[in-house]
Amino acid sequence: MKRTQADIMLDLMDAKTSLGIEFGSTRIKAVLIDSTYEVIATGTYDWENQLVDGHWTYSLEEILKGLRGSYRQMAAEVFEKYGHVLTKIGSIGISAMMHGFLAFNAADELLTPFRTWRNNNTTQAAEILTEQFQFNIPERWSIAHLYQAILDDENYVNEINFFTTLAGYIHWQLTDKKVLGIGDASGMFPIDSKEKNYRQDYIEKFERLIVKKQYTWQLKDLLPEIRLAGEIAGYLSESGAYLLDPTGQLQAGIPLCPPEGDAGTGMVATNSVAPNTGNISAGTSAFAMIVLENDLKSVHREIDLVTTPSGAAVAMVHTNNCTSEINAWVHLFAEVYQLNGLTLSQDDLYTKLFNQALLGDDDCGNLLTYGYHSGENITKIFEGKPLFIRSADSKFTLANFMKNQIYSAFATMKIGMDLLLEEGITIDHIVGHGGIFKTPGVAQRMLSAALQAPVKLLATAGEGGAWGMAILAAYANQSISSLADFLTNQVFVENQGETLMATPAEIASFQTYTKAYKNCLEVEALASNLMK
């Protein structure tokens, strides 16, 4: 039953609301939900990472500016829609891009600019740690960043008192608590899913690895404390309330759930936290996550092992690149419109171009794209260079071009997922979420062709991880047996979604594209090495 304005007003006045703020690669989004988990208001703040001294980073000033900006826009929408000034919120949750490296000294001073997941300068560290642990440590993981700094003899390492992720940093600023949700923590250091804590045997191996350095710290003392979904991980402090809302209207004392990574919020937003369920979160980067019933048989450098926000083991295939190249071309097409004095909203332009892709030929007209704005571990490309290739006799039409672009967004993901399927992992269903799925039946159908599996979209797919974070915040304010039960029996009762399965011809089309994609990777590698 649709809620009335009066119903929502009561939730706002009684603080039966939850706020999720997620820091994505290009957009920070705040989502406020009511007691039925429906969106009341949203706020956004656009930002971009910067390449500083060879590292991709965001400044602390920009992080906090984006936090305030997204909150301010959300609060303004609440006032505009409901005439209500936000002073109380039932619960708050912070999520962000996983991995990366934020290191602080005993005076809580940042020792080196924030290094994001996008940096792939940690190859040596990742390889050594993977060999030592016999557990895949990707280049973007926080422990790889720390160990690479040790290998490079960076002069601040002995001063480190604490290191964390972006979500952990923001939560700390809001609550004074140096904690992290287990899902985000699983992208810092390997997790024991039975003990719901960091792998102690690997911590001991790491200490033995660096013993000759004689640092004044031990790794176990540098890592954030782990918290599980459903727990309260701190309360909004006076300074945190002012940081979030400099107008002084928001009151302190609001409970915060454990800060999480965007992988975890993607699982929640798609109701994919139970064994043998999976989801794909597609944006600037892409995550495919399958909740495991059994352990993998062997170590795969292309497959990460992380956890759900409750600590269950998850196999994750991560690609650094997904929609950036599509966005770049759409912006170019928008310029053509503007040059001719035409107006078309961005949403309408995306919809028209995506629908045109459905008219493309099975072979995409012999067009090929590598949307690599950064390197890719799965395909062994160190430094990405966006690349568009076509033969002289290719069928260069808009339909083929757009179909090729969407195929390309999922191609690297498919290469990694094929390895997982070869392990014999069974998947009951895959749920897609993220902006690429906003045009009905296009990216969803093409992803199904890539994975050779049904793909479900939920009504909340467009809200993405910020909504998922708001749901985790709401869960921390309730008492229920499990996160899976909470999602199934409360949040998703009336949201069954729509499932599509690609036809055999569509599956064969994507297989053909993937073969060409693999065959021409050498060209992308050359571009990466030669083009500066």
Side-chain angles (χ1 to χ4, degrees):
M1 185 174 68
K2 186 173 178 60
R3 306 199 83 208
T4 66
Q5 185 99 346
D7 293 330
I8 296 172
M9 278 297 299
L10 284 173
D11 277 354
L12 288 166
M13 290 186 291
D14 295 340
K16 292 181 178 178
T17 55
S18 297
L19 172 65
I21 303 178
E22 180 155 283
F23 286 68
S25 301
T26 60
R27 174 170 290 186
I28 302 166
K29 187 169 186 178
V31 169
L32 186 70
I33 62 174
D34 63 15
S35 61
T36 66
Y37 318 111
E38 295 293 327
V39 176
I40 297 174
T42 63
T44 60
Y45 179 88
D46 293 333
W47 69 340
E48 289 286 349
N49 54 190
Q50 304 295 321
L51 189 62
V52 178
D53 296 329
H55 294 101
W56 291 105
T57 188
Y58 302 88
S59 69
L60 295 190
E61 293 77 15
E62 189 71 6
I63 290 167
L64 299 180
K65 183 179 178 182
L67 174 70
R68 292 188 294 266
S70 61
Y71 177 87
R72 181 171 60 248
Q73 192 179 98
M74 178 278 299
E77 186 174 318
V78 169
F79 184 77
E80 181 181 337
K81 282 183 174 180
Y82 310 106
H84 179 83
V85 176
L86 273 181
T87 59
K88 298 182 295 181
I89 298 171
S91 54
I92 298 174
I94 300 296
S95 59
M97 301 165 280
M98 288 179 69
H99 319 299
F101 187 63
L102 280 152
F104 300 87
N105 62 17
D108 294 337
E109 298 167 329
L110 186 67
L111 292 170
T112 186
F114 170 35
R115 297 178 183 179
T116 77
W117 59 269
R118 195 174 182 182
N119 292 287
N120 55 4
N121 63 301
T122 58
T123 301
Q124 182 185 9
E127 289 178 351
I128 292 173
L129 292 176
T130 297
E131 176 63 29
Q132 290 292 317
F133 296 167
Q134 284 301 293
F135 182 100
N136 182 34
I137 302 295
E139 296 172 343
R140 62 189 176 279
W141 278 33
S142 305
I143 191 62
H145 283 279
L146 173 61
Y147 190 51
Q148 191 65 53
I150 292 170
L151 293 175
D152 293 341
D153 289 320
E154 296 195 42
N155 57 16
Y156 61 83
V157 173
N158 195 51
E159 297 180 54
I160 297 176
N161 183 66
F162 171 65
F163 74 112
T164 189
T165 65
L166 178 55
Y169 167 72
I170 300 160
H171 182 92
W172 171 31
Q173 300 308 298
L174 295 178
T175 66
D176 297 325
K177 300 295 183 182
K178 296 178 179 178
V179 301
L180 204 58
I182 193 168
D184 204 10
S186 70
M188 290 191 72
F189 194 85
I191 295 292
D192 184 329
S193 287
K194 292 180 180 178
E195 297 296 327
K196 307 292 193 253
N197 206 343
Y198 301 111
R199 286 282 300 260
Q200 298 305 307
D201 52 339
Y202 294 167
I203 287 178
E204 291 169 6
K205 287 183 178 182
F206 186 86
E207 293 292 352
R208 289 196 293 272
L209 199 59
I210 64 170
V211 66
K212 292 182 180 179
K213 295 289 186 178
Q214 297 184 324
Y215 292 126
T216 57
W217 49 260
Q218 289 187 306
L219 178 61
K220 64 181 177 63
D221 299 321
L222 304 188
L223 291 162
E225 292 183 16
I226 285 177
R227 296 288 183 270
L228 303 180
E231 297 180 7
I232 292 177
Y235 294 86
L236 189 65
S237 65
E238 292 285 351
S239 60
Y242 184 76
L243 183 65
L244 192 56
D245 180 17
T247 68
Q249 293 168 324
L250 186 65
Q251 298 175 8
I254 299 169
L256 273 78
C257 69
E260 266 299 345
D262 47 3
T265 60
M267 296 179 215
V268 171
T270 56
N271 192 17
S272 303
V273 299
N276 297 327
T277 62
N279 81 91
I280 288 183
S281 173
T284 303
S285 61
F287 300 89
M289 290 159 286
I290 308 299
V291 184
L292 298 176
E293 191 168 28
N294 301 300
D295 293 338
L296 296 183
K297 300 185 184 93
S298 55
V299 177
H300 296 275
R301 292 293 277 135
E302 300 87 354
I303 299 173
D304 301 2
L305 289 175
V306 292
T307 78
T308 69
S310 297
V314 173
M316 179 171 76
V317 177
H318 173 269
T319 63
N320 289 342
N321 303 276
C322 185
T323 61
S324 292
E325 188 66 358
I326 294 174
N327 295 338
W329 282 101
V330 172
H331 290 158
L332 181 68
F333 295 145
E335 284 190 41
V336 176
Y337 265 89
Q338 294 164 5
L339 186 64
N340 287 279
L342 302 172
T343 57
L344 187 68
S345 74
Q346 181 170 282
D347 284 348
D348 285 345
L349 181 56
Y350 272 98
T351 297
K352 287 180 181 294
L353 290 171
F354 270 52
N355 282 327
Q356 191 69 15
L358 293 175
L359 305 177
D361 296 327
D362 287 344
D363 64 354
C364 295
N366 202 22
L367 310 181
L368 198 58
T369 288
Y370 295 92
Y372 286 3
H373 287 238
S374 60
E376 280 292 358
N377 176 60
I378 289 175
T379 50
K380 306 298 187 292
I381 300 297
F382 179 71
E383 183 179 353
K385 293 293 185 296
L387 185 64
F388 172 55
I389 307 172
R390 68 185 184 97
S391 62
D393 61 350
S394 61
K395 193 174 180 182
F396 191 20
T397 66
L398 182 61
N400 282 332
F401 181 78
M402 287 307 302
K403 185 172 185 177
N404 147 70
Q405 288 290 336
I406 300 171
Y407 270 23
S408 175
F410 294 132
T412 305
M413 173 67 67
K414 174 178 173 53
I415 294 171
M417 283 293 288
D418 283 349
L419 292 172
L420 186 58
L421 296 176
E422 288 169 7
E423 277 264 357
I425 299 299
T426 58
I427 304 171
D428 293 340
H429 67 265
I430 289 281
V431 181
H433 80 112
I436 196 172
F437 299 110
K438 278 192 171 183
T439 303
V442 182
Q444 179 186 11
R445 182 173 294 280
M446 295 180 186
L447 178 59
S448 175
L451 303 182
Q452 303 178 56
V455 174
K456 178 189 289 187
L457 292 189
L458 301 171
T460 50
E463 298 298 342
W467 180 77
M469 193 66 236
I471 296 298
L472 281 172
Y475 179 57
N477 242 358
Q478 305 196 28
S479 175
I480 197 158
S481 58
S482 71
L483 178 59
D485 287 343
F486 171 69
L487 295 176
T488 300
N489 298 329
Q490 292 196 42
V491 180
F492 289 93
V493 173
E494 297 180 2
N495 186 5
Q496 299 304 313
E498 180 182 352
T499 302
L500 283 179
M501 178 65 203
T503 66
E506 289 167 335
I507 292 172
S509 170
F510 211 110
Q511 295 280 62
T512 299
Y513 185 87
T514 305
K515 183 178 180 180
Y517 194 88
K518 290 180 177 178
N519 288 342
C520 290
L521 273 169
E522 186 177 349
V523 181
E524 169 63 23
L526 283 171
S528 174
N529 293 331
L530 298 177
M531 185 179 177
K532 303 298 181 184

